[in-house]
Amino acid sequence: KLKAEKVEGKGMIENEEELIGTTEQMVEIYKLVGKMADSNVPVLISGESGTGKELIARAVHNFSDRENKPFVEINCTAISQRQLEAELFGYEKNYNNSGSVERKGKIEQANGGTLFLDEISGMDLENQGKLLRVLQENEFYRVGGIEPVELNIRIVASTNKDLAEMLTEGTFREDLYHRLKVVETDV
């Protein structure tokens, strides 16, 4: 299903939103994307910056049965951890002087589809614990909420850091790591 074209050089070339390339490594990535797309398990994509982790996440979504549902992404290092919590989980009316506005977070916006957590290694331990609940229970609480919100999402996460090393440092939760790496690929 993925487009493969002969290209000069090695590795992956970004062409709009397509993965292209004919190297042995790319052919293996195409096969893996096909396998990942056919399941609903979480996916962890590791690799250096600029290697196409987001393209692989989009391909997994686009070739899955969720392709007509939302693909929602958030960069876990681009904002403060407090803001990340509100962006991910949303918040209830009248929470933190927000007035009478209830706000859906990225997790709820992705319901039915795929949530792409770019650079998950930047997420703090508190938010990691809340994300673990989402993976375990398929539900979450908005910030300030008392009623759970049920979900049906697929989580794809990426990192350019060594999460195994972060486990030994105590900066990444081991239980979350094992929940995310059901399918793991390096690019």
Side-chain angles (χ1 to χ4, degrees):
K1 286 184 171 180
L2 297 173
K3 182 178 180 180
E5 294 178 359
K6 185 166 177 113
V7 294
E8 296 297 321
K10 298 180 180 178
M12 182 181 308
I13 295 178
E14 295 181 27
N15 180 5
E16 295 178 17
E17 288 190 9
E18 296 179 348
L19 297 174
I20 60 174
T22 57
T23 64
E24 187 176 319
Q25 181 184 14
M26 284 305 301
V27 170
E28 290 304 311
I29 287 173
Y30 297 146
K31 289 177 186 176
L32 187 57
V33 166
K35 288 178 186 176
M36 290 185 290
D38 286 340
S39 84
N40 277 313
V41 297
V43 174
L44 179 61
I45 305 167
S46 301
E48 295 178 22
S49 296
T51 55
K53 295 181 295 288
E54 180 182 346
L55 287 175
I56 291 173
R58 285 185 183 277
V60 168
H61 172 79
N62 290 339
F63 291 103
S64 74
D65 61 357
R66 296 175 184 266
E67 69 180 315
N68 294 317
K69 303 292 184 185
F71 178 88
V72 178
E73 60 187 294
I74 186 166
N75 185 317
C76 299
T77 60
I79 55 180
S80 73
Q81 291 304 300
R82 182 175 163 92
Q83 187 180 2
L84 179 63
E85 178 185 28
E87 285 292 317
L88 281 174
F89 299 99
Y91 49 83
E92 291 290 335
K93 293 179 183 177
N94 298 319
Y95 175 76
N96 199 21
N97 298 323
S98 62
S100 60
V101 178
E102 174 184 283
R103 185 167 174 278
K104 290 183 179 181
K106 301 287 187 184
I107 292 173
E108 196 170 354
Q109 293 170 26
N111 203 6
T114 302
L115 176 65
F116 175 51
L117 299 167
D118 193 17
E119 301 306 341
I120 194 166
S121 55
M123 186 181 286
D124 69 3
L125 292 171
E126 183 179 346
N127 283 326
Q128 289 175 34
K130 292 176 181 180
L131 179 62
L132 180 64
R133 177 175 173 78
V134 170
L135 286 165
Q136 290 174 328
E137 307 295 331
N138 292 316
E139 67 181 24
F140 73 100
Y141 291 88
R142 289 187 194 111
V143 177
I146 57 172
E147 294 294 323
V149 178
E150 292 187 20
L151 291 171
N152 174 12
I153 64 170
R154 177 179 203 175
I155 293 182
V156 178
S158 75
T159 183
N160 63 4
K161 303 253 193 285
D162 183 348
L163 292 184
E165 184 177 308
M166 291 180 71
L167 293 177
T168 61
E169 295 170 353
T171 55
F172 203 85
R173 291 179 62 120
E174 186 172 2
D175 46 5
L176 178 59
Y177 175 71
H178 291 294
R179 284 276 182 178
L180 288 172
K181 73 170 215 133
V182 174
V183 177
E184 183 176 25
T185 185
D186 289 323
V187 291

